[in-house]
Structure formats: structure tokens, C-alpha cells
Amino acid sequence: MTLEEFAEDIWITDGPEIVAAAGFHYPTRAAVIRLADQSLFVWSPIELDQALRDAVNELGEVKYLIAPNNLHHSFLAEWRHAYPLAKLYAAPGLVSKREDLKFDGILGDTPNMEWVDQIDQVVADGNVLTNEVVFYHRKSRTVLFTDLLQQMPKDWYRGWRRIVAMLDLMTEDQPTVPRKFRLAFKDRKAARQAIDKIESWPSEKVLMAHGTPVHSNGQQFIKDAFNWLK
């Protein structure tokens, strides 16, 4: 696993697949953002091997480990062990699932003081499947989604899983909101308020944990992707 420069002061790395419910496997992706003080903000940590650790260490000091929703937490413990001085922040709802970890705070709609004016954020409320915190890196004009936007290759799954993935909109021609997450938005008013904030960001690029990154026209792409949420 190596780091690829995605934009100014932001790098991505793709890790091994993980197996989730019902045997569905997913690719993994993390992002590393270098802040103005040269410290590192690690979003959605993936499996950590020595090569990745060396590459990250070359960029700066890891100070913040970010679990952006309550589904992406499998590798937090190994990053916490590797970087014991880093602060660990959780999306709402994760702390009770990972009582084995000591979190330094819960993420909300207001950016933490450590990265305010550099990274904005909002909680996509009202979804019964996950509480996802969406981030916006101002310098690179990049929005970071975790699971609310996805896109797998059409041949990623086999058999009945391939049919389910197709019906769930997971294998569309471009990243979109899977059908299960659309149906899981029970408080659509709260969700729309969060999406309105996300759509207001002057974004150019869009990253997601499971899908093809968007490199241009990000703001319009997001508006189109969430047009169904009225």
C-alpha cells in the first residue's frame, strides 16, 4: 500500500478488501490531509502495514485519527497503537460500539478547533444505518464521503450478490447513494439540511471510501447525486 497524491496536501491510499454483512466485500480507502502546522489528519484509517506507515511518516506527524461513520472502525486499534499520541475522534454512535477504544471526542457539525478554517464538516443526520460525518478540505476543494456515495465495478460481485448490488444502485456508471441508504433516511428534513450545507461548499473534487473519485465539477456532481432527497 502506497500513498497517491490526490490534490494539494491530500493523499489517498487503497487497502485490502474487507468482508461485511452477508458476505459482501468492499474495497477500502483512507485519506491523509496535511494541515497548516504540518500535522496529519487521517480519515477512515485502513489496514496499516509498514510500507504505509513509512509513507505516512514521511509526510508529517499523525495527530488526528478520524472514524467518519459508525461502520468504518475495523483498523482504529492498530493506528492507535502505532500513533499513541494521536487524538482519536468518532462519528456519533461509534463510541458505544467500540468500548475497547479511548476516544478523545465525538465529531459534530462544528469543525474542531485543531482544523477549523481548514476542514469543514457536517453530520448527515436522520439515517438509521449510519451516522456519517462528511468533510470538506478547503485548500483542495475536496469533499470526503464515506458510505453515502458508492460505486463498485459492475463485475465486482458474483451470483445473487451481483443482483442485489445492482438493485441497490451500488454498480451504477458513476458514484451514487445506494438505495438502502436512501430508504434509511427517516428524518429527511435533517438529512436535507446537512446536504444543503454540503452542496454550498465550492467543491471541485469528491472522494469516497468505495468508489471512483470525482476530479472536477464536484459541487454539481453532489447536487445531482442527492437530487432525489427533497
Side-chain angles (χ1 to χ4, degrees):
M1 291 180 284
T2 58
L3 288 170
E4 172 191 347
E5 187 171 7
F6 181 73
E8 187 174 7
D9 283 337
I10 181 168
W11 293 260
I12 60 174
T13 180
D14 293 343
E17 299 171 12
I18 59 171
V19 179
F24 282 87
H25 60 285
Y26 290 83
T28 57
R29 173 177 293 141
V32 179
I33 297 174
R34 185 161 57 195
L35 301 177
D37 65 356
Q38 304 302 299
S39 66
L40 303 181
F41 173 107
V42 181
W43 170 87
S44 190
I46 61 171
E47 183 177 344
L48 181 63
D49 63 12
Q50 191 60 50
L52 178 56
R53 186 172 179 178
D54 290 344
V56 168
N57 291 342
E58 287 184 7
L59 295 179
E61 179 185 358
V62 174
K63 282 194 176 181
Y64 312 108
L65 300 173
I66 308 299
N69 70 17
N70 60 351
L71 301 175
H72 281 232
H73 56 84
S74 299
F75 305 106
L76 294 178
E78 57 190 78
W79 282 79
R80 183 67 143 174
H81 178 75
Y83 301 101
L85 299 181
K87 292 184 178 180
L88 180 58
Y89 289 98
L94 179 57
V95 172
S96 60
K97 291 179 67 173
R98 293 300 305 265
E99 295 181 350
D100 58 311
L101 292 174
K102 182 178 183 296
F103 290 92
D104 295 281
I106 299 175
L107 298 161
D109 288 325
T110 303
N112 289 40
M113 289 302 298
E114 294 96 333
W115 55 79
V116 70
D117 297 328
Q118 299 182 69
I119 300 174
D120 203 352
Q121 64 195 63
V122 65
V123 181
D125 283 326
N127 196 294
V128 298
L129 288 179
T130 185
N131 293 315
E132 179 162 320
V133 184
V134 181
F135 293 92
Y136 175 62
H137 180 229
R138 295 174 182 268
K139 190 173 187 179
S140 67
R141 298 176 64 185
T142 300
V143 178
L144 294 92
F145 285 92
T146 313
D147 288 328
L148 289 183
L149 287 174
Q150 296 184 23
Q151 181 199 30
M152 311 296 176
K154 293 189 182 297
D155 60 352
W156 184 259
Y157 297 111
R158 304 281 185 184
W160 65 269
R161 292 185 182 88
R162 184 172 184 170
I163 297 172
V164 170
M166 180 185 66
L167 295 174
D168 196 32
L169 307 179
M170 294 170 62
T171 55
E172 295 293 287
D173 292 333
Q174 64 179 3
T176 191
V177 183
R179 198 182 301 276
K180 59 179 173 289
F181 286 108
R182 299 186 188 202
L183 296 174
F185 275 115
K186 299 306 180 182
D187 188 342
R188 294 172 73 91
K189 181 178 179 180
R192 188 66 249 179
Q193 289 176 341
I195 297 304
D196 284 345
K197 180 176 180 179
I198 294 168
E199 291 179 355
S200 74
W201 293 330
S203 56
E204 183 66 21
K205 303 173 186 293
V206 182
L207 274 176
M208 60 218 72
H210 317 296
T212 305
V214 174
H215 291 273
S216 62
N217 240 0
Q219 190 173 33
Q220 186 61 52
F221 164 79
I222 292 170
K223 288 179 180 179
D224 292 342
F226 287 91
N227 187 51
W228 58 272
L229 184 62
K230 300 293 187 182

